[in-house]
Amino acid sequence: MVLYKRLREAFPDFKPEIHWQKVDGDIVTTFKTYHGTHLGNFLGHAGTGTRVSFETVDAMKVVDGQITEHWGSLIFTRSCSKSA
């Protein structure tokens, strides 16, 4: 997926922390926080060296072990806050 490639380029130490995950048929929904250091360009912003965290909720359709559709929402109110 293009988004994850760009995230890994901008945040090379990008790691998810999964808070919960639910499966309903072929849909997997996950609430997680990503942590990483902003070292490369992302959404037009040059790397800052700042450690950041941002929360997401993702729903993915999985067919035969492959993600065939993906919907995601970034939780902006707490996104890109500096990590402790």
Side-chain angles (χ1 to χ4, degrees):
M1 298 171 96
V2 173
L3 174 62
Y4 287 102
K5 181 179 185 289
R6 290 184 181 156
L7 282 167
R8 293 219 179 270
E9 290 171 353
F11 303 89
D13 59 348
F14 179 69
K15 298 266 191 277
E17 174 188 355
I18 296 174
H19 303 293
W20 58 259
Q21 192 167 56
K22 177 154 174 65
V23 178
D24 184 10
D26 58 1
I27 303 296
V28 179
T29 304
T30 308
F31 170 53
K32 59 189 162 271
T33 302
Y34 284 109
H35 305 277
T37 308
H38 185 206
L39 298 176
N41 185 47
F42 187 66
L43 300 176
H45 298 279
T48 61
T50 303
R51 182 108 174 114
V52 299
S53 296
F54 51 95
E55 296 175 329
T56 66
V57 175
D58 294 293
M60 294 174 244
K61 184 172 184 177
V62 179
V63 178
D64 296 327
Q66 300 292 315
I67 298 169
T68 59
E69 296 180 53
H70 174 260
W71 308 272
S73 180
L74 181 63
I75 301 172
F76 286 107
T77 57
R78 293 182 295 246
S79 298
C80 294
S81 63
K82 291 182 182 178
S83 295

